Amino acid sequence: MFVRRLLGALLVSTLAMPVIADNTLVLPEKTKLLVLDGKDADHLGSKKDLSLGNGRHQLVFQLKTLVRDGGDTKMFTTSPYIMTFDLSGDQAYTINAPRLKTARDTDKLSQSPKAQFSITNAKGQAIPFEFSVLNKSGLLIGGDTVEDIQKFNLSDSPAAVRAMAGTVYIANPQGVSYQVAQPSRPSVMPAPATAQPMSESMLQYWYNQADETTRERFLQWISDSNKTGK
């Protein structure tokens, strides 16, 4: 009986869900992408156009370019910037960054970084976003930054996304570390036979967090269980 009720609830949830769309996000030139949605983005290399689904996203990146300083030319690398925003509608979006040619340009960026960026859609309409800066310097790699952004995502910053915090160890004032765990996407949906019963609302939550392939496997498992009466 529970399996039948669960199958019905999940089918209703599936029908009520919007069609998953792919949005294209174009990054600025001279961008080093460090973290994408809480995960190391080094595997993306120098890719400047990302395919992202609808919903909340978070990017951590740096700008690296040569600038003129008086009669000299030097390499300038920003601190890691955090941008958090929502995408929808299967559209093309662009992150617009300032042109950095001189030391005056970099000073202006350092003084008010958020004001120098924008996100626009294909129609040129501005998309709201949250912005913050990680207090790190030098050219970084994604693996160096993932733990920092996970801790950041436990903060009260408007750019933080608690669902992307993962599992983080934090030291309390007594010096004892404790674990803060956040929901993560399961690789296998069926719970072990020894697990405690889970509410329908929680099962629906995990179902909605899974990708399309995992959902199909889960629905097949429910259908098979229903046929066998398990």
Side-chain angles (χ1 to χ4, degrees):
M1 176 63 71
F2 176 76
V3 171
R4 291 193 183 95
R5 290 173 57 203
L6 175 59
L7 181 58
L10 288 178
L11 287 175
V12 171
S13 175
T14 302
L15 292 174
M17 291 178 63
V19 176
I20 297 177
D22 284 332
N23 303 282
T24 300
L25 179 66
V26 179
L27 304 180
E29 292 295 327
K30 313 299 183 182
T31 297
K32 168 63 176 175
L33 184 61
L34 301 172
V35 181
L36 173 61
D37 292 343
K39 304 294 179 61
D40 185 346
D42 278 344
H43 66 282
L44 296 174
S46 58
K47 188 177 179 63
K48 290 298 182 287
D49 57 318
L50 307 176
S51 180
L52 302 174
N54 290 336
R56 196 78 165 162
H57 294 284
Q58 183 186 70
L59 271 63
V60 184
F61 64 94
Q62 291 177 289
L63 300 181
K64 178 184 178 183
T65 187
L66 290 170
V67 298
R68 295 190 306 273
D69 187 5
D72 298 325
T73 300
K74 64 180 183 180
M75 182 62 68
F76 173 76
T77 303
T78 69
S79 297
Y81 294 140
I82 304 167
M83 294 186 75
T84 303
F85 46 86
D86 292 290
L87 300 182
S88 63
D90 194 13
Q91 299 185 62
Y93 296 87
T94 301
I95 295 180
N96 306 293
R99 296 183 62 184
L100 302 175
K101 298 295 184 180
T102 67
R104 180 178 297 181
D105 296 332
T106 62
D107 289 342
K108 183 179 180 181
L109 174 62
S110 299
Q111 291 170 8
S112 55
K114 180 178 181 179
Q116 309 301 313
F117 288 91
S118 66
I119 303 178
T120 53
N121 60 19
K123 297 180 180 179
Q125 298 168 325
I127 304 302
F129 64 93
E130 304 295 344
F131 188 93
S132 190
V133 182
L134 279 182
N135 187 24
K136 301 192 75 171
S137 61
L139 188 62
L140 306 172
I141 60 175
D144 293 334
T145 316
V146 169
E147 184 175 351
D148 292 310
I149 193 64
Q150 287 179 337
K151 291 178 180 178
F152 170 84
N153 280 330
L154 294 173
S155 73
D156 294 328
S157 170
V161 183
R162 186 165 290 266
M164 297 178 188
T167 301
V168 182
Y169 290 89
I170 302 176
N172 65 24
Q174 288 72 39
V176 179
S177 295
Y178 61 92
Q179 189 179 51
V180 180
Q182 298 296 327
S184 59
R185 179 174 293 180
S187 57
V188 180
M189 293 300 299
T194 57
Q196 294 296 320
M198 187 180 294
S199 68
E200 289 184 28
S201 61
M202 183 59 70
L203 284 170
Q204 289 182 45
Y205 169 81
W206 286 118
Y207 176 81
N208 291 336
Q209 294 298 308
D211 56 34
E212 193 64 33
T213 301
T214 304
R215 291 174 186 170
E216 291 177 359
R217 291 203 308 268
F218 188 39
L219 290 174
Q220 184 60 51
W221 172 78
I222 293 175
S223 177
D224 294 342
S225 299
N226 194 33
K227 292 176 181 177
T228 59
K230 294 181 180 180

